[in-house]
């Protein structure tokens, strides 16, 4: 999973800019921007802060909208 893309997706759903998200989550804006430039991944600690800022759980962050292909039925 591209964690930065997920952060952007969740922020966009809430009409929150990355700058505003950095303010409400306590994540340095420079961290988010540097990750964008490097096309890298966010650390779990950073993702946890983002989740708090967005009012979601880690489980919700990593939830996939696709049905579970391992479910038999």
């Amino acid at each position: 999973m591209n964690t930065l893309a997920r952060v952007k997706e969740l922020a966009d759903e809430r009409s929150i800019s990355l700058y505003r998200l950095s303010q409400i989550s306590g994540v340095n804006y420079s961290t988010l921007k540097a990750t964008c430039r490097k096309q890298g991944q966010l650390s779990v600690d950073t993702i946890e802060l983002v989740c708090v800022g967005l009012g979601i759980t880690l489980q919700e962050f990593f939830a996939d909208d696709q049905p579970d292909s391992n479910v038999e039925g």
Side-chain angles (χ1 to χ4, degrees):
M1 168 187 270
N2 182 329
T3 57
L4 186 60
R6 180 69 172 145
V7 167
K8 288 179 180 180
E9 173 187 349
L10 292 167
D12 286 347
E13 287 174 3
R14 292 161 176 76
S15 300
I16 299 173
S17 68
L18 285 182
Y19 180 74
R20 179 68 184 131
L21 180 58
S22 72
Q23 292 177 318
I24 62 177
S25 66
V27 174
N28 286 329
Y29 181 64
S30 60
T31 298
L32 296 176
K33 291 307 287 180
T35 304
C36 286
R37 280 193 304 276
K38 296 177 185 175
Q39 297 180 345
Q41 297 290 342
L42 297 171
S43 70
V44 173
D45 291 338
T46 301
I47 294 169
E48 284 179 320
L49 290 172
V50 167
C51 288
V52 170
L54 293 173
I56 64 172
T57 65
L58 275 174
Q59 182 178 0
E60 290 169 314
F61 181 88
F62 288 107
D64 190 354
D65 291 337
Q66 301 298 320
D68 190 353
S69 59
N70 295 329
V71 175
E72 295 179 23

